[in-house]
Amino acid sequence: MTPLQRLLPGGRWPWSRRTTASAARAAPTPGAVPTPGVYLGLGDLLALEHPVRRLRWPARGAPVHSQLAGRHRARVRGRGLDFIELRQYLPGDDTRSIDWRASVRTGKTQLRVYGEEREHPTWLVVDQRISMFFARRGALRSVVAGEAAAVWGWRALASGDRVGGLVFGDDGIDAITPGRGRRSLLRLLDRLVARNHRLRADTACPARPAQFDAALTQLLARAPRDAVIVVLSDFDGMDARSREQLIALARHNDLVLLPIRDDPGTTRPVRLVVTDGSLQLPVDHTDEVVRSRLAEIAHARMEGLLALRREIGCVVFPLSTSEPALLQLARGMASPAARAPRPRGG
């Protein structure tokens, strides 16, 4: 039994736990019955809070070198850590803030002015389109994205940050403004489960890849500076405009991209029929040409994200459908950094 499994009663992962009474009272919109790996259960997302709090995440303000470390700084009383400007010393100013080098250089006593440390709102952008309702192995992409969002949300809440976000499907976008305490995160999880339960192979709603752009556009209009923005998606529909919007978001925020992808390594090739809700297409995975072409598409999409990471210094950490999201994120927090250095300025 692994250390992570020992965090949970009976060594089971969160999605195997029974729905709690509080989850039952906050049941999502009636729809599909929560099925492990296929549909999310609100009780399972709530149950993730306990193991997340038990994990030893990197301390805020401590030097961290993990793949998923953001720019969180220590919260201290008194002077903040954000340098704003130099100004001339005035009687009554704190002498500890005098910049002696600048004073010698200018011939006048100069004071370093700091701004108060602020909370870092966390925006979780969670994809629940029909393209996410798929996996060759393990849980569906939509489920992995939902569980990873809950893990990140509980972690941010435990760090004292405000949590909110966007949940988008093919037929719309739900926005929850980050707020203090549990209320905003619980509202977000409720909307996440509700949208997840609308996903069906025979849905009448057509696939809309452009919803990815629409979600980023709405986020740009809402997200302030110094926020942590976490995008959980298969990035279907990402184009040049999406790339520009992600670059714009990264200028003044910490941007974390968590692409959800299949792990077909040990899967026996099969013949599948995929659908967007209106059309069906047979996909023969026993055909080497078909498998090669699909691998090329997946590789090109990932290379696009890695190129973006090299350009703007955002975090790119792929999540697999074959492992629990909690385990993967915990491993990402503990492993050496694989991110490009954050560009200066902007």
Side-chain angles (χ1 to χ4, degrees), residues 86-137:
L86 283 172
R87 67 167 172 82
Q88 189 170 341
Y89 175 82
L90 298 174
D93 286 335
D94 189 345
T95 57
R96 294 176 300 173
S97 297
I98 294 176
D99 188 320
W100 296 106
R101 290 186 179 181
S103 300
V104 171
R105 187 172 62 252
T106 62
K108 297 180 180 180
T109 306
Q110 300 291 317
L111 197 77
R112 295 179 68 87
V113 179
Y114 296 86
E116 289 187 24
E117 176 65 29
R118 295 168 295 184
E119 293 175 332
H120 295 267
T122 294
W123 287 81
L124 301 170
V125 184
V126 194
D127 190 347
Q128 291 293 299
R129 295 174 296 170
I130 192 64
S131 64
M132 297 285 286
F133 196 62
F134 177 80
R136 296 186 186 90
R137 178 172 177 243

Side-chain angles (χ1 to χ4, degrees), residues 136-169:
R136 296 186 186 90
R137 178 172 177 243
L140 298 185
R141 297 173 187 170
S142 52
V143 171
V144 175
E147 290 174 348
V151 170
W152 199 288
W154 289 123
R155 173 181 177 264
L157 199 64
S159 298
D161 290 338
R162 292 177 285 128
V163 183
L166 302 175
V167 182
F168 66 100

Side-chain angles (χ1 to χ4, degrees), residues 37 131-142 144 260-274 283-287 289-299 301 320-323:
S131 64
M132 297 285 286
F133 196 62
F134 177 80
R136 296 186 186 90
R137 178 172 177 243
L140 298 185
R141 297 173 187 170
S142 52
V144 175
I260 315 298
R261 62 181 186 177
D262 298 316
D263 179 15
T266 59
T267 303
R268 182 172 59 87
V270 295
R271 293 182 175 86
L272 302 174
V273 176
V274 296
V283 179
D284 187 0
H285 283 267
T286 64
D287 188 326
V289 175
V290 172
R291 291 205 307 273
S292 176
R293 180 56 183 151
L294 291 174
E296 288 176 6
I297 294 173
H299 179 73
R301 185 175 295 175
S320 169
T321 58
S322 60
E323 284 188 288

Side-chain angles (χ1 to χ4, degrees), residues 14 41 54 72 88 92 128 146 165-166 200 215 249 252 264 284 328 336:
R54 293 280 301 276
H72 280 336
Q88 189 170 341
Q128 291 293 299
L166 302 175
R200 298 174 57 88
L249 286 167
H252 305 295
D284 187 0
Q328 297 183 71

